[in-house]
């Protein structure tokens, strides 16, 4: 499954979900298709879900909230692990992604 617009693209490869571009969607409803894609991966019960945001240049507060809620969902599923990959060249990632680890300390966070 892939969600693609002029501004962003979200797609999955097995249990890895890739995000790229600029996501400025207006609220929870606008992010619903992306959450559905993420939930589909979670429902498949992979050993580890990987969120790869290394190419996501911008994510607004609604999108960060989406990542936080999804992290809590994964935390409630002890049979599924979670890893997040970010990039130091994108400032929001170094500031916001460590907060996911506060929500779920077992998250493997890699920011290169």
């Amino acid at each position: 499954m892939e969600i693609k617009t002029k501004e962003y693209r979200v797609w999955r490869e097995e249990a890895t979900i890739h995000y790229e571009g600029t996501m400025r969607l207006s609220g929870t409803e606008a992010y619903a298709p992306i959450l559905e894609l993420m939930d589909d991966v979670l429902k498949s019960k992979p050993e580890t879900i990987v969120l790869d945001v290394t190419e996501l240049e911008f994510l607004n507060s609604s999108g960060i909230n989406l990542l936080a809620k999804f992290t809590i969902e994964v935390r409630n599923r002890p049979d599924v692990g979670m890893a997040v990959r970010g990039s130091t060249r994108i400032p929001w990632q170094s500031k916001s992604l460590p907060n996911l680890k506060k929500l779920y300390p077992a998250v493997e966070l890699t920011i290169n």
Side-chain angles (χ1 to χ4, degrees), residues 10 17-19 23 31 34-35 38 49-54 56 58-75 82-86 92-93 96-101 103-104 107 109:
V10 179
I17 305 169
H18 301 272
Y19 306 78
M23 297 176 74
Y31 278 99
I34 296 166
L35 180 59
M38 296 165 77
I49 294 174
V50 178
L51 305 182
D52 182 353
V53 296
T54 54
L56 187 58
F58 181 82
L59 184 65
N60 66 6
S61 60
S62 295
I64 291 170
N65 191 35
L66 171 81
L67 293 181
K69 287 182 177 178
F70 187 73
T71 299
I72 292 169
E73 286 290 322
V74 175
R75 181 184 68 192
M82 183 169 154
V84 179
R85 296 182 186 143
W92 76 266
Q93 295 184 8
S96 298
L97 293 178
N99 291 328
L100 300 178
K101 208 162 171 56
L103 295 171
Y104 184 25
V107 167
L109 179 60

